[in-house]
């Protein structure tokens, strides 16, 4: 059973790829693609050949990527500090962000793979010494783009710095990134008759900017939960670059340093790390600040803070041991702060696990759908259509994109699909309609042509898990009304403009 509404839309894509159908096609009442680049869905579809069902395969991919990301954080910190404990702190902090990320770490979403690819790319950057190394670094950025478009933003500060610091070795980054992204985009756009660009560029560009979400990113997503970790991040920056003058010196030394030399300037790696973390936070902030941006967009920022957290702890400990005779007391203070940071992130995991009542209700819902003779409209769980042998149908999140729900425009394709659904509702084409949340586009037609029916799938007194609180469809089940005015209903239908 899906735990987050976007999982259903992803499953629709994975199933479509598995069946050998095109992904980027004209939106229809049957299917519309998500606004993400497709690597995650193709990998999940490939894995689903070995592991069934597809939902398990997609979640397993996300889980493995999350574990790999945490291991990378550990290795990055341990290698840079020669301190395994600081590495464990980074790993543990990232895992501790599971709850404040709304459990996206192991869901059938692109984000876990995205974080992994970005961290892997950063490792390549840190170890790059030759043009060949930077070639592969550029290819990793391009791969990141085809997992999630905002990967470009992450590496913008690092790339600008490297091009300025050592143009002779790093110039290859620009043509590699540009060509490795541009060529596939042009080809895909050509073979899909422009629909690839429609989904990947046009629809995302219409997401409005949410000032409230932009402010909450700093005060709620970061400071509220990771204030101490951010403090240690600042310690790393301050102790690595005590002055702006020294920061400038690092850039000049890095420029004059032969990258193949084992005596590579230590501050250069520190500067790359700070620039990478800044890019990761910037990308998270921009995506989180758009209308429709969820907690999944903050995962990359959490990984960056976790990296800086471990490095900052080690830098503070080293500084204290060398320069302060009260080292024991200050080391104890560091220990207390670290403990407080982790204690503040403690959560009850059972809140995110479906209850037995929810699992039973979901199973009963599947059986009800299977036993229904005609098509069933399930916009928030449209993947159930495929699971129960019904015709495929567009997911609610795709309708949001096509109808300007995120402060964009009502697309002609969205208008056409809405008109078709409204027509079907007025004609009572659907033998059952299941809504987890109200649907503003055709709720009026449902109220005119259908009546609510209680199947008692989940008693009102049953305990609900936090992950599934949004799923109210167990009670919001509609069946055709015995008496209704079809003509009156049809007058409310939105027809496509000529």
């Amino acid at each position: 059973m899906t735990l987050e509404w976007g999982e259903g839309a992803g499953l629709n894509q994975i199933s479509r790829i598995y069946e050998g159908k095109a992904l980027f096609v004209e939106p229809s009442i049957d299917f519309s693609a998500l606004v993400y680049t497709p690597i995650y869905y193709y990998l999940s579809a490939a894995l689903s050949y070995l592991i069934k069902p597809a939902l398990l395969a997609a979640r397993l991919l996300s889980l493995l990527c999350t574990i790999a990301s945490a291991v990378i954080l550990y290795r990055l910190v341990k290698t840079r500090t020669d301190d395994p404990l600081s590495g464990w702190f980074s790993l543990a902090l990232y895992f501790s962000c599971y709850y404040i990320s709304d459990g996206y770490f192991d869901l059938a979403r692109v984000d876990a793979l995205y974080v992994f690819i970005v961290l892997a790319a950063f490792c390549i950057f840190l170890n790059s010494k030759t043009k060949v190394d930077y070639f592969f670094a550029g290819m990793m950025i391009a791969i990141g783009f085809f997992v999630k478009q905002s990967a470009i933003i992450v590496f913008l500060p690092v790339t600008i710095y490297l091009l300025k610091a050592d143009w002779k070795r790093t110039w290859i980054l620009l043509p590699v990134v540009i060509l490795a992204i541009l060529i596939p985009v042009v080809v895909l756009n050509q073979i899909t008759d422009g629909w690839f660009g429609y989904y990947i560029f046009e629809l995302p560009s219409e997401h409005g900017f949410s000032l409230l979400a932009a402010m909450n990113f700093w005060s709620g997503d970061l400071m509220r939960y990771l204030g101490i970790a951010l403090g240690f991040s600042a310690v790393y920056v301050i102790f690595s670059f005590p002055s702006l003058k020294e920061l400038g010196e690092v850039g000049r030394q890095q420029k004059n340093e032969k990258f193949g030399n084992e005596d590579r300037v230590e501050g250069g790696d520190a500067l790359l790390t700070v620039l990478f973390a800044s890019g990761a936070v910037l990308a998270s902030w921009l995506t989180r600040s758009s209308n429709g941006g969820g907690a999944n967009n903050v995962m990359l920022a959490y990984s960056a803070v976790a990296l800086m957290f471990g490095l900052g702890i080690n830098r503070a400990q080293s500084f204290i041991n060398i320069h302060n005779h009260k080292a024991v007391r200050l080391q104890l203070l560091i220990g207390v702060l670290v403990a407080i940071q982790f204690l503040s992130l403690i959560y009850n995991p059972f809140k995110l696990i479906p209850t037995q009542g929810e699992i039973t209700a979901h199973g009963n819902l599947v059986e009800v759908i299977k036993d229904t003779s005609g098509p069933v409209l399930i916009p928030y769980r449209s993947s159930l259509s495929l699971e129960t042998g019904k015709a495929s149908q567009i997911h609610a999140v795709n309708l949001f994109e096509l109808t300007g729900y995120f402060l964009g425009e009502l697309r002609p394709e969205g208008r056409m699909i809405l008109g078709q659904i409204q027509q079907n509702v007025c004609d009572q084409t659907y033998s059952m309609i299941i809504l987890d949340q109200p649907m503003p586009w055709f709720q009026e037609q449902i109220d005119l042509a259908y009546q609510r029916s209680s199947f008692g799938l989940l008693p009102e007194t049953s305990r609900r898990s936090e992950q599934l609180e949004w799923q109210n469809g167990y009670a919001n089940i509609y069946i055709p009304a015995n008496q209704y005015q079809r003509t009156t209903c049809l007058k409310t239908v939105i027809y496509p403009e000529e």
Side-chain angles (χ1 to χ4, degrees), residues 157-222:
V158 170
T159 301
I160 293 174
Y161 163 70
L162 287 173
L163 290 174
K164 182 179 179 182
D166 190 31
W167 169 258
K168 291 183 179 180
R169 281 181 171 79
T170 61
W171 66 266
I172 196 171
L173 274 171
L174 275 181
V176 168
V177 172
I178 293 173
L179 292 177
I181 292 176
L182 185 60
I183 292 176
V185 165
V186 171
V187 171
L188 287 170
N189 211 44
Q190 183 68 27
I191 64 178
T192 61
D193 295 327
W195 291 113
F196 179 81
Y198 175 86
Y199 288 111
I200 302 306
F201 299 111
E202 288 187 37
L203 290 182
S205 68
E206 292 194 354
H207 285 222
F209 180 81
S210 171
L211 180 60
L212 181 62
M215 296 173 61
N216 185 66
F217 173 83
W218 301 106
S219 61
D221 294 326
L222 292 184

Side-chain angles (χ1 to χ4, degrees), residues 3-5 380-381 436-437 467-472:
L3 300 178
E4 189 271 338
W5 73 306
Y380 287 100
R381 312 187 206 189
D436 288 298
Q437 300 291 336
Q467 281 281 48
L468 294 174
E469 281 183 339
W470 67 275
Q471 289 190 352
N472 298 316

